[in-house]
Amino acid sequence: MTDGFDFKAYLNQARQRVEAALDGSLAPERPESLREAMRYSLLAGGKRLRPILCLAACELAGGDAEHAMPTAVALEMIHTMSLIHDDLPAMDDDDLRRGRPTNHKVYGEAVAILAGDALLTRAFEMVALRSPGVPPERLLKVVGELSLVAGAPGLVGGQVVDLESEGKEVDFDTLEYIHLHKTGALLSACVITGATIGGADPALISALRVYARGIGLAFQIIDDILDITASSEVLGKTAGKDLVADKTTYPKLLGLEESRRRADALVGEAKDVLKPWEQRAMPLLALADFITSRDR
Ligand code: GRG
C-alpha cells in the first residue's frame, strides 16, 4: 500500500521540524530551574510518534501541517509529562527513560512533579494561545479532545486501573481497558486533533477513530513484546520490568507469537479503514507499519 513512499526521509524530516518546534516552545523564562527540568525531559529524544501522527492527520485532511505544529508540540508535552509522572517512586519507580536518568533522579521528586504539571498546562497554552491561523472553533474542539484524553476518561483513568491491577490476575477486558486509556487515547487524540485543525469531514474523523484504536492497541502489544525481547540500552528504559512485576501483558495472556499476530492484524485493520484516502494517507499507513516494525 505504501510502495514508492520514502518513509525514512519523511520521518527524518518530520522529526527535525518537530524537534525545532519543541525547542522553541520552552524559551527562556523564570524560574530557570523549572524550565531546565521541563526541557530535560521534553528534549530528551524519543520517537516523536505522537506529534508526527498529528501533522500527518492534518495534511490528510487537506490542512497545512504548520497550523497543527503547536498542537503537535502540546501532544508531546502531555506524553512527556505522563512519562515523568509514571517514572516517579509513587508510580512505576524507574530511573531510566529515553536513555537518561529519569527526571526525579536529576531534579528531585518535587520539581519532577511540578515540571510535569507545567508541561501539562503549557500544552493547553500552546493550543489556546499559540496557534495562529487556526479558526477558534477548531481550537476549542482540540482543547476539548485534549482535556478528555489527559484526564479521568483517558490517561489518568488508565493509570489508576493499571495501579489497582498490580499483583492481581487481570482479565482480557481489563487489560484492553488499561491500554486503550493509558496508550490508545493519546494516540487517538493525535490524529483527531490534527485532522480537526486540517478541517476533516465527519467521515474522515470516524475512519481515524477506527485507525487510532487499531494502532493504539498494536503499539501497546509491541511495547509488551519489546519489554521481553529488547535490551534496556536499545529501549532507553528499563527492560524486563513487566516480568519482574509479574504484570499481566499480551504476551503473558497470549504468548509472544500470537501477540505479534494480533498486532499485525490490528495494524492491517487500521490501514484498511484509510483505503478511500489511499494516496494522501501514505504517511499514516507507513506510520502504522512502523508501529509493528519498530525495535524500541
Ligand atoms: C496526563 C494528567 C496526566 C497524568 C498522567 C502517569 C500517567 C498519568 C499515565 C501513564 C501513561 C503512560 C506512561 C503510558 C505508557 C505509554 C507508552 C507506551 C509510552 C512509551 O511511548 P513511546 O515508546 O516513547 O512512544 P518515546 O520515548 O519514544 O516517546
Side-chain angles (χ1 to χ4, degrees):
M1 260 197 236
T2 52
D3 293 349
F5 176 65
D6 189 347
F7 180 59
K8 211 171 154 197
Y10 174 85
L11 202 57
N12 279 339
Q13 205 194 40
R15 275 190 181 138
Q16 277 174 25
R17 285 164 62 200
V18 167
E19 292 297 339
L22 289 170
D23 191 24
S25 70
L26 296 178
E29 66 181 312
R30 288 177 70 190
E32 176 53 32
S33 53
L34 175 63
R35 173 179 178 256
E36 191 192 313
M38 291 161 79
R39 287 178 69 86
Y40 176 81
S41 290
L42 189 68
L43 304 178
K47 293 179 285 298
R48 309 311 193 194
L49 185 61
R50 290 156 190 83
I52 295 172
L53 281 168
C54 175
L55 301 178
C58 177
E59 283 184 325
L60 169 58
D64 174 351
E66 274 315 300
H67 286 157
M69 190 58 93
T71 294
V73 167
L75 289 155
E76 188 66 19
M77 286 177 168
I78 294 174
H79 171 53
T80 301
M81 77 73 59
S82 81
L83 300 179
I84 296 174
H85 283 198
D86 190 56
D87 291 333
L88 288 167
M91 302 225 192
D92 232 16
D93 192 11
D94 218 323
D95 49 18
L96 183 68
R97 174 69 72 178
R98 291 176 165 170
R100 323 163 84 176
T102 45
N103 199 290
H104 67 272
K105 285 279 163 194
V106 179
Y107 300 100
E109 275 182 61
V111 171
I113 292 168
L114 292 165
D117 294 342
L119 283 170
L120 178 62
T121 41
R122 177 62 50 85
F124 286 92
E125 183 187 326
M126 294 303 300
V127 178
L129 304 177
R130 299 206 211 172
S131 293
V134 185
E137 61 276 13
R138 290 187 192 169
L139 292 180
L140 193 58
K141 281 191 189 165
V142 171
V143 167
E145 185 77 24
L146 294 186
S147 63
L148 290 173
V149 147
L155 273 93
V156 176
Q159 179 76 348
V160 168
V161 177
D162 195 16
L163 290 173
E164 287 171 353
S165 303
E166 265 175 28
K168 289 186 193 155
E169 283 296 311
V170 168
D171 62 24
F172 206 83
D173 278 355
T174 310
L175 182 67
E176 204 158 88
Y177 176 93
I178 293 169
H179 293 337
L180 282 173
H181 290 76
K182 268 188 73 170
T183 307
L186 190 57
L187 291 172
S188 175
C190 295
V191 291
I192 298 302
T193 56
T196 300
I197 291 170
D201 61 18
L204 179 55
I205 295 283
S206 309
L208 284 172
R209 288 204 189 274
V210 178
Y211 165 87
R213 189 181 192 282
I215 64 158
L217 283 174
F219 186 91
Q220 189 56 55
I221 295 175
I222 298 299
D223 216 63
D224 287 355
I225 293 175
L226 290 174
D227 183 71
I228 299 170
T229 59
S231 66
S232 300
E233 290 71 41
V234 172
L235 290 179
K237 60 181 179 182
T238 314
K241 281 203 86 171
D242 297 343
L243 279 179
V244 171
D246 195 26
K247 244 185 152 172
T248 304
T249 61
Y250 279 90
K252 191 178 171 193
L253 289 184
L254 301 176
L256 274 176
E257 248 176 65
E258 183 53 31
S259 297
R260 180 158 280 287
R261 257 199 295 277
R262 200 177 172 88
D264 288 339
L266 283 161
V267 162
E269 287 164 24
K271 287 166 68 181
D272 280 349
V273 82
L274 291 186
K275 265 198 183 134
W277 293 270
E278 198 164 323
Q279 274 307 314
R280 287 239 296 265
M282 284 292 186
L284 286 184
L285 296 173
L287 283 160
D289 284 330
F290 172 71
I291 280 170
T292 42
S293 64
R294 71 197 170 100
D295 62 359
R296 66 182 179 103

